[in-house]
């Protein structure tokens, strides 16, 4: 049995529908036969994995692992994933620390298969929780990718914003995340050419736009759910404007954005 999460016709209206039914729909989705089978296999077998080679060699376990960290697209990049898992997370010069996308570092740390952490035990329940969240989002994203991106931002931004790093470092992490960058780029109307700018110019532009819209250029403000909700609303409405095929729907979205 499969279940498609219900979000109406997507967009901002679909987001509001999902907000009201999120808890119930998550419960239904997580209990489908296909989802339960995958999770039971992972929970039963992950404790027997002691090396990166073994993990990348087991398609079912690797699929759950990559989904848990939002790295589904790397399912066929097994040599790269093996190197990521084996890299020393405590060495600032290692591969996993040089990657701008910090999802790889999180996967490395939690799967505990590097030489410095191979004696640790994987928290299977924590991985399954992440897998559940991403699978729920992915189910929606297959039909309405804008809502998947919004859910990702709602989950990832507060954690990033509250991290003990400099404000610029937080912005660089946002710019290094394809999904978070997309949220800001669309919400602020930065245009497709934004990502082609030198990284320092991107930093300057995104901070300037943030101050224009919120009164502060600090990434730390997104620790607040209110700030994240405001950003997501602006993203969804601007995305709707871009995708609108009729003048009336364009006007309705623009009215909401100004409200």
């Amino acid at each position: 049995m499969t279940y498609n999460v219900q979000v109406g016709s997507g967009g901002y209206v679909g987001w509001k529908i999902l907000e009201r039914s999120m808890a119930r729909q998550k419960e239904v989705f997580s209990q489908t036969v296909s989802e339960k089978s995958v999770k039971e296999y992972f929970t039963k077998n992950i404790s027997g994995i002691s090396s990166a080679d073994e993990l990348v060699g087991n398609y079912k376990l690797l699929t759950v692992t990559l989904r848990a960290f939002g790295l589904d697209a790397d399912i066929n990049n097994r040599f790269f994933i093996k190197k990521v898992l084996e890299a020393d997370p405590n060495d600032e010069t290692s591969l996993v620390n040089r990657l701008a996308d910090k999802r790889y570092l999180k996967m490395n740390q939690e799967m505990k298969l590097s030489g410095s952490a191979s004696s640790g035990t994987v928290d299977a329940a924590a991985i399954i929780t992440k897998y559940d969240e991403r699978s729920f989002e992915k189910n929606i994203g297959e039909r309405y990718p804008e809502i998947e991106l919004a859910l990702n931002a709602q989950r990832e931004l507060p954690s990033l914003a509250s991290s003990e790093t400099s404000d610029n470092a937080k912005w660089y992490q946002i710019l290094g995340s394809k999904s978070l960058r997309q949220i800001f780029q669309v919400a602020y109307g930065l245009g497709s050419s934004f990502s082609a700018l030198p990284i320092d110019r991107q930093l300057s532009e995104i901070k300037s736009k943030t101050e224009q819209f919120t009164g502060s250029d600090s990434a730390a403000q997104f620790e607040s759910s209110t700030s994240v909700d405001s950003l997501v609303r602006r993203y969804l409405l601007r995305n709707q404007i871009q995708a609108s095929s009729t003048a009336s729907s364009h006007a309705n979205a623009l009215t909401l954005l100004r409200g």
Side-chain angles (χ1 to χ4, degrees):
M1 181 182 70
T2 59
Y3 176 79
N4 282 329
V5 182
Q6 301 303 301
V7 292
S9 57
Y12 183 68
V13 173
W15 175 256
K16 301 306 289 184
I17 291 172
L18 182 62
E19 282 188 328
R20 294 193 295 270
S21 62
M22 183 93 74
R24 176 181 58 80
Q25 292 209 70
K26 276 189 172 181
E27 179 63 25
V28 173
F29 180 80
S30 68
Q31 293 303 312
T32 59
V33 173
S34 57
E35 287 298 305
K36 288 181 69 175
S37 175
V38 167
K39 292 183 288 187
E40 287 171 0
Y41 179 87
F42 183 88
T43 301
K44 179 180 178 180
N45 293 282
I46 193 60
S47 61
I49 298 297
S50 60
S51 70
D53 263 328
E54 292 177 349
L55 180 57
V56 300
N58 186 312
Y59 184 83
K60 289 184 178 180
L61 294 180
L62 182 62
T63 298
V64 172
T65 300
L66 293 177
R67 169 68 57 82
F69 296 94
L71 297 169
D72 304 64
D74 283 315
I75 190 63
N76 293 318
N77 298 330
R78 299 188 187 186
F79 179 78
F80 171 69
I81 292 300
K82 176 177 178 292
K83 292 300 181 183
V84 165
L85 291 168
E86 291 176 338
D88 184 353
N90 300 314
D91 179 357
E92 293 184 359
T93 67
S94 71
L95 170 64
V96 75
N97 281 312
R98 296 199 310 271
L99 294 170
D101 190 335
K102 297 308 174 185
R103 292 178 299 176
Y104 294 105
L105 177 60
K106 290 178 182 177
M107 179 175 68
N108 171 292
Q109 292 170 328
E110 294 194 36
M111 296 312 294
K112 303 179 187 297
L113 294 172
S114 70
S116 63
S118 58
S119 60
T121 301
V122 174
D123 186 343
I127 302 299
I128 289 299
T129 296
K130 289 181 174 64
Y131 172 83
D132 265 338
E133 291 175 345
R134 299 276 189 178
S135 293
F136 183 83
E137 294 168 13
K138 185 67 66 177
N139 179 277
I140 299 171
E142 290 172 352
R143 292 161 291 137
Y144 304 105
E146 75 278 8
I147 295 185
E148 180 183 5
L149 285 176
L151 285 168
N152 177 77
Q154 192 178 61
R155 174 169 39 77
E156 293 291 323
L157 261 181
S159 176
L160 189 157
S162 63
S163 62
E164 296 181 1
T165 58
S166 71
D167 205 63
N168 278 355
K170 292 171 184 176
W171 278 122
Y172 281 127
Q173 286 187 51
I174 288 170
L175 291 169
S177 165
K178 183 178 179 180
S179 55
L180 292 180
R181 173 203 290 274
Q182 180 72 2
I183 290 283
F184 281 92
Q185 190 167 313
V186 173
Y188 292 170
L190 289 168
S192 58
S193 61
F194 174 70
S195 59
L197 295 173
I199 190 65
D200 289 345
R201 176 72 183 281
Q202 290 182 39
L203 175 64
S204 175
E205 289 285 331
I206 199 169
K207 291 178 70 173
S208 176
K209 285 290 188 180
T210 300
E211 184 169 20
Q212 177 185 334
F213 288 121
T214 71
S216 168
D217 68 359
S218 174
Q221 67 185 283
F222 295 106
E223 183 177 356
S224 161
S225 60
T226 301
S227 295
V228 175
D229 289 346
S230 178
L231 175 71
V232 165
R233 177 176 180 271
R234 177 170 287 276
Y235 160 73
L236 287 169
L237 291 173
R238 281 198 175 276
N239 185 75
Q240 184 176 331
I241 290 169
Q242 292 179 2
S244 290
S245 57
T246 66
S248 59
S249 58
H250 177 103
N252 289 339
L254 190 57
T255 298
L256 285 169
L257 186 58
R258 288 171 175 167

